[in-house]
Structure formats: C-alpha cells, structure tokens
Amino acid sequence: MAPESHAALRPPAEPSTISWAQERTGAEFPEQLIGLLSLHDGADDTDAGAFLPGDARLLSAREATGLTGRLSGFIDSDEVLGVWWHPQWIPLAANHDGATCYFVDARPGPGYGEIGYFFMESGGECGRWPSLAMFTEKLAGAIEDITKMRGCLPSVKDDALSWD
C-alpha cells in the first residue's frame, strides 16, 4: 500500500546499541520498545520515512538518546520535571526538528511502558496510549479504516503514507 514508507524502515538495532541507549538515558527500556528497535532501528529521515501522524518518523536508538538529552537539557527546575519533560521519557518518533514527539514512559511505576505525546510549547502528555502495542494497534486501525489519529487522516501519496 505504501512501499516507499516500508522501504524507509531501517534494519534492526544491534543489541549493544540498545544497551548503550539504556545506559546513556539511565532508563530500562520496556520490552515492547526493545522489540521494535530489534525489528527496525528507526526510519530514514525522508518524507517517506515520516509516516506517523504529525509527520513523525521512527527514531533510531541513537537518535532517541540524543533527543532525550537535548530535551532534558531544557529542564531548569523540579517544577517542569515530569510535567514538561522527563529524562526517562524515551522518544519513539519525532517530527523533523524534534519539537513534537511520541515517547515511551520508562520511569519505574504505574505508567511504565505507556506512550505519551510531547509538544515543545506545552510539554508532555503521559498515558495517551497504555502501551506501544496499543499505539500500533490504533495506528493500524486508523490506516485500515481511514479514520483520524491525532486529528489527521491517513492517505498514500507517491507510494508513501502521509497524514492530512
């Protein structure tokens, strides 16, 4: 249905790269995130690779670690920690400049493994989806049924998945 988007998926991440990312972020990645990275270490930084709502593309383990560090660098008080951003929110996919992203909550506790959404202007929304599996299920359903996800409708343009 969207062969260019499929072709934009990268090969699996090396286990050592996933371990490095966990050490660097100080977070124990949920098994579902490890599973995804073990299938595809992100997607190419192309229009075809930005196949998630909001023109987001899957990030590699290294890109996710870098974005985590960049966003964590903006935390200047405990008042924004876990409200605007948290160092153990691991970006899963982001738009071209990382100002918006989907993230996996890797903080120990009841929200562990949930998928949230981050917007630079307002901060993070935890618990948008209860798991990566549920996020991908909702994504697949929106594509199959041509229904909105995050306010966007899926379509295929130039053999690539896009969201209007």
Side-chain angles (χ1 to χ4, degrees):
M1 180 172 168
E4 292 296 318
S5 293
H6 184 264
L9 290 168
R10 294 179 180 154
E14 294 291 329
S16 60
T17 302
I18 297 170
S19 295
W20 172 87
Q22 291 182 98
E23 288 173 21
R24 184 88 168 159
T25 60
E28 183 178 329
F29 289 7
E31 286 300 315
Q32 290 179 0
L33 178 57
I34 293 170
L36 177 62
L37 291 168
S38 297
L39 289 173
H40 299 289
D41 194 17
D44 293 339
D45 190 5
T46 62
D47 288 343
F51 55 77
L52 294 172
D55 295 326
R57 70 176 177 85
L58 291 176
L59 298 176
S60 71
R62 289 190 180 279
E63 290 167 328
T65 300
L67 183 54
T68 297
R70 191 179 100 205
L71 293 173
S72 295
F74 290 113
I75 298 172
D76 59 1
S77 72
D78 287 344
E79 292 157 358
V80 297
L81 181 66
V83 176
W84 184 81
W85 184 255
H86 194 283
Q88 290 182 323
W89 289 349
I90 309 304
L92 164 70
N95 70 347
H96 66 283
D97 63 3
T100 61
C101 70
Y102 297 92
F103 64 86
V104 179
D105 192 344
R107 296 174 297 173
Y112 181 78
E114 292 180 349
I115 305 300
Y117 189 77
F118 171 81
F119 181 60
M120 184 72 78
E121 300 297 319
S122 57
E125 298 174 34
C126 293
R128 297 284 307 209
W129 297 273
S131 66
L132 183 54
M134 182 62 72
F135 173 78
T136 56
E137 188 175 301
K138 294 288 184 187
L139 179 68
I143 293 167
E144 288 173 4
D145 300 335
I146 310 176
T147 57
K148 288 185 178 183
M149 184 169 178
R150 293 223 32 93
C152 303
L153 278 173
S155 64
V156 176
K157 295 178 184 169
D158 299 323
D159 289 332
L161 181 61
S162 66
W163 296 80
D164 301 317

